[in-house]
Amino acid sequence: MKKLLCTMLFGTALVLGACGGGGDDGASDGSSDNGGGSTDTAASGEEIFQNNCASCHGSDLSGGMGPDLTKVGSRYSADEIANIIKNGRGQMPPQKQVSKEDRQAVASWLAKKK
């Protein structure tokens, strides 16, 4: 019984740690600071994804611990994806530490994956 409890606690800590935010409050190259166009948003959305989400969803969006996101844009709009990031869904915990701007950047980038 203790072994099962320890395994579950370790697994939960691993999931929460892997899906948690990076603490760098934005893109390291400053590309999101200029309020730029869609290219900047797409680049920062992908960078934010790689830094915060790829550990569960795979760096190529193919999934792993989290579901495959290669065609997520065909199922959900950018607003729906942003809502899932903010509030969680299924096994994915809410990502409250992700700023609204970062959440929108990732959601917009993922919504184009069809």
Side-chain angles (χ1 to χ4, degrees), residues 97-113:
Q97 77 283 359
V98 178
S99 71
K100 182 177 181 179
E101 294 80 18
D102 286 354
R103 194 169 46 244
Q104 289 295 358
V106 172
S108 295
W109 179 72
L110 285 172
K112 295 175 184 172
K113 307 298 178 190

Side-chain angles (χ1 to χ4, degrees), residues 15-100:
V15 169
L16 293 176
C19 292
D24 53 327
D25 295 353
S28 60
D29 64 357
S31 64
S32 65
D33 292 342
N34 63 6
S38 61
T39 304
D40 289 340
T41 301
S44 65
E46 182 175 7
E47 182 177 351
I48 295 163
F49 177 89
Q50 292 299 331
N51 291 333
N52 298 289
C53 313
S55 60
C56 291
H57 294 285
S59 60
D60 62 353
L61 307 174
S62 65
M65 217 154 111
D68 182 327
L69 299 178
T70 54
K71 296 182 181 180
V72 70
S74 65
R75 294 186 306 264
Y76 301 107
S77 69
D79 289 338
E80 291 171 320
I81 295 169
N83 186 50
I84 292 169
I85 294 169
K86 179 180 179 183
N87 298 309
R89 175 176 243 174
Q91 297 294 319
M92 180 178 155
Q95 303 299 307
K96 302 288 186 184
Q97 77 283 359
V98 178
S99 71
K100 182 177 181 179

